[in-house]
Amino acid sequence: MESTGRHAKPSVQGHGDGDDKEFMATLAKGLAVLGAFGRQRPAMTLSEAAAVAELSRAAARRVLRTLSMLGYVEQQGRQFSLSPRILEFGFAYLSTQSWIDRALPLMRELSERLGESCSAAILQGHDIVYVARVPARRIMSAALSVGSRLPALHTALGRVLFGYLDEAEIWRRLKANRIEAYTPQSITDLQALFDRIRADREQGFSIVDEELELGLRALAVPVLDRTGQAVGAINLSTHSTRTTRNEMRERFLPELNRITDQVSSMTL
């Protein structure tokens, strides 16, 4: 399915204004080290953590020592890794997003009935972050899980959420990063991406067809709060040999609209 190893490079460089006395550089360094761990780097030496987080060895040592004393990092020999206590942060966030709890049983029922994977995500910068996932039992990669990140502009979830940003912010994010082509179908032209985002906002859903991975076709619908702003999105994904775009519109879209309407109606 969609590739899963993507992890934003953490760094305190370029963050905080030198004149902003509210910016806590020490906290930023700690978060940069925590953000350096991930699927591709489950354990690191002090030197590796310093290099990835773009810190001096002395600063990385102080950060890792503090995180270890607080129970968020474990050390075995020269290797440091995250401890299970770090999950407290993730669960604390999820507990504040009541729409996820309401969506999950509806997503499970829909995935079971249609035989396709159903996921929910939020937009964070240039990525989507999965906050709920019900994989189909029979298809594609099972590697995606809660917390996985994917490039927003080449996913249905991300593109439908981009549509709820104002135009200036859409353009700012489009221009901030180099748009990478993952497949021959990937849209990389900025104007074409902007136009597609706005068109998806108008129609209320997004279909992304083999732009992130060949064979992957996905449909996403936003979850709205009572002010009409998107708090997240829910999708159904399938293989292009099994379901056509028209079938997704005719069969999947009403089902997704049904559950997102239920979740949105109870979202503050």
Side-chain angles (χ1 to χ4, degrees), residues 97 169 206 212 255:
Q97 304 297 305
E169 179 61 15
S206 178
L212 186 63
E255 297 285 1

mmCIF file of all heavy atoms in Angstrom, residues 97 169 206 212 255:
data_model
loop_
_atom_site.group_PDB
_atom_site.id
_atom_site.type_symbol
_atom_site.label_atom_id
_atom_site.label_comp_id
_atom_site.label_asym_id
_atom_site.label_seq_id
_atom_site.Cartn_x
_atom_site.Cartn_y
_atom_site.Cartn_z
ATOM 1 N N GLN A 97 -9.355 14.150 20.859
ATOM 2 C CA GLN A 97 -10.031 14.131 19.569
ATOM 3 C C GLN A 97 -11.203 13.154 19.620
ATOM 4 O O GLN A 97 -11.106 12.009 19.175
ATOM 5 C CB GLN A 97 -9.043 13.741 18.461
ATOM 6 C CG GLN A 97 -7.822 14.626 18.382
ATOM 7 C CD GLN A 97 -8.181 16.059 18.046
ATOM 8 O OE1 GLN A 97 -8.850 16.333 17.047
ATOM 9 N NE2 GLN A 97 -7.747 16.999 18.875
ATOM 10 N N GLU A 169 -2.548 30.215 2.216
ATOM 11 C CA GLU A 169 -1.838 29.158 2.933
ATOM 12 C C GLU A 169 -1.589 27.952 2.035
ATOM 13 O O GLU A 169 -0.538 27.307 2.121
ATOM 14 C CB GLU A 169 -2.639 28.740 4.174
ATOM 15 C CG GLU A 169 -1.998 27.628 4.994
ATOM 16 C CD GLU A 169 -0.628 27.972 5.564
ATOM 17 O OE1 GLU A 169 -0.256 29.168 5.585
ATOM 18 O OE2 GLU A 169 0.082 27.043 6.000
ATOM 19 N N SER A 206 -12.243 13.780 -2.455
ATOM 20 C CA SER A 206 -11.049 13.698 -3.295
ATOM 21 C C SER A 206 -10.799 12.249 -3.680
ATOM 22 O O SER A 206 -10.915 11.351 -2.836
ATOM 23 C CB SER A 206 -9.830 14.248 -2.550
ATOM 24 O OG SER A 206 -8.665 14.134 -3.341
ATOM 25 N N LEU A 212 0.544 8.062 -5.517
ATOM 26 C CA LEU A 212 1.526 7.756 -4.482
ATOM 27 C C LEU A 212 2.150 6.387 -4.711
ATOM 28 O O LEU A 212 3.336 6.185 -4.468
ATOM 29 C CB LEU A 212 0.879 7.806 -3.100
ATOM 30 C CG LEU A 212 1.828 7.651 -1.917
ATOM 31 C CD1 LEU A 212 2.837 8.793 -1.872
ATOM 32 C CD2 LEU A 212 1.057 7.571 -0.613
ATOM 33 N N GLU A 255 -21.299 5.798 1.084
ATOM 34 C CA GLU A 255 -20.995 5.150 2.363
ATOM 35 C C GLU A 255 -20.090 6.023 3.224
ATOM 36 O O GLU A 255 -20.297 6.161 4.435
ATOM 37 C CB GLU A 255 -20.320 3.796 2.102
ATOM 38 C CG GLU A 255 -21.186 2.795 1.367
ATOM 39 C CD GLU A 255 -22.243 2.199 2.268
ATOM 40 O OE1 GLU A 255 -22.314 2.569 3.462
ATOM 41 O OE2 GLU A 255 -23.009 1.346 1.788
#
